[in-house]
Amino acid sequence: MSDVESPPIPKAAPRPVRLTFAGVSVEVRTKGKGRKLILDAVSGSFGPAELVAVMGPSGSGKTTLLNSLTGVTTPTSGTISVNGSPYDRRTMRRFATFVPQDDLLTPSLTVHESLAEACLFKMGRSATAADRRARCEELLAQFGLAECRDVLVGHPEGKKGISGGQKRRLSVALELAGRPSLLLLDEPTSGLDSVSARDPSHWESFGRHTLERHALRETRSAPTHTRETPPETGEGRLTCRPRSPHL
């Protein structure tokens, strides 16, 4: 992490939210006239200031669950609500953000330019240029990206740029530019080696934002320790919701 202190910035606290889903099922068509159940009546509730990991083997429905909660996929049945009100994709855009498995970054921009662009689009019309610059510097410092701020993002098949771990941290930082209330991450350690995946700097920034009343959701295929023991999915169903604080 950089020792450079970020300038003070007015902190507009994210609105505390509780996302509740009940009986969410997703069924898709297969070749011919068949149908396959991807999610089978999954229910749960995510509250503010929580860090939760949804775990399960490949094909168990973790990404489909996130897609349903973010409005990417329309559930076949079930209900989703936020603070007791109906929830849809338009509602999600107002207070939540989603980091997919793949890094959707612009290779020709530097790290700083990428963050500056995100702050421009995500901080709203009420933010001044000074507010956006301050938020950009804050994220650079918190995610350990200050040292590579002027390095191109790059592309594996073109001009090389920042490392895989830096790309993952940048992807999350971009989505946090607008201070969302809810952050969902799909396979945040995907593509990283085991050392990078366990690097504390990769996760400590998430913890900081959790303390700022963000609620984070992530899916991972590897075991992890979290503030709550993660629920597990299998064959599209919630198979286990342990009460122990550790795995």
Side-chain angles (χ1 to χ4, degrees):
M1 298 287 289
S2 171
D3 294 330
V4 178
E5 294 186 0
S6 57
I9 181 173
K11 293 184 180 282
R15 175 191 177 191
V17 299
R18 177 166 292 279
L19 176 65
T20 303
F21 51 101
V24 173
S25 297
V26 175
E27 193 177 57
V28 297
R29 293 181 180 273
T30 59
K31 291 184 177 180
K33 297 183 179 180
R35 301 185 70 86
K36 181 178 181 180
L37 193 62
I38 306 299
L39 283 183
D40 187 4
V42 177
S43 301
S45 179
F46 299 154
E50 292 180 349
L51 173 63
V52 176
V54 179
M55 298 174 61
S58 297
S60 62
K62 304 185 301 297
T63 296
T64 302
L65 174 61
L66 283 185
N67 286 341
S68 298
L69 298 180
T70 56
V72 175
T73 298
T74 301
T76 306
S77 61
T79 61
I80 304 174
S81 63
V82 171
N83 293 344
S85 300
Y87 174 82
D88 55 24
R89 190 168 186 175
R90 180 177 297 180
T91 307
M92 181 264 182
R93 289 177 177 175
R94 292 202 299 266
F95 68 85
T97 190
F98 177 47
V99 181
Q101 293 184 27
D102 300 320
D103 295 315
L104 304 178
L105 304 172
T106 305
S108 58
L109 295 180
T110 66
V111 171
H112 179 265
E113 289 170 342
S114 298
L115 276 170
E117 183 180 65
C119 290
L120 177 63
F121 285 103
K122 293 179 179 292
M123 291 186 65
R125 296 180 179 179
S126 61
T128 66
D131 291 337
R132 292 193 291 270
R133 286 195 298 269
R135 181 59 174 160
C136 183
E137 294 298 327
E138 181 184 40
L139 291 170
L140 284 169
Q142 287 189 346
F143 281 85
L145 298 170
E147 294 181 357
C148 61
R149 60 181 295 147
D150 296 321
V151 179
L152 288 176
V153 171
H155 192 278
E157 297 180 1
K159 188 172 184 179
K160 293 185 178 180
I162 58 178
S163 69
Q166 290 168 333
K167 286 180 179 179
R168 292 306 285 165
R169 294 203 298 272
L170 177 59
S171 293
V172 178
L174 295 179
E175 296 303 327
L176 287 174
R179 298 186 183 277
S181 297
L182 177 65
L183 173 65
L184 300 103
L185 304 101
D186 192 3
E187 298 280 2
T189 59
S190 178
L192 301 183
D193 57 74
S194 59
V195 175
S196 298
R198 295 177 181 274
D199 183 356
S201 66
H202 190 79
W203 302 105
E204 62 186 10
S205 294
F206 299 169
R208 285 198 189 95
H209 287 281
T210 303
L211 296 177
E212 292 178 2
R213 301 185 66 81
H214 287 85
L216 285 80
R217 301 286 169 264
E218 61 177 84
T219 63
R220 300 184 67 191
S221 57
T224 181
H225 293 282
T226 61
R227 293 174 184 241
E228 292 185 358
T229 305
E232 296 182 1
T233 59
E235 297 182 352
R237 295 186 298 274
L238 188 64
T239 60
C240 181
R241 191 192 294 271
R243 295 183 179 180
S244 171
H246 300 290
L247 289 175

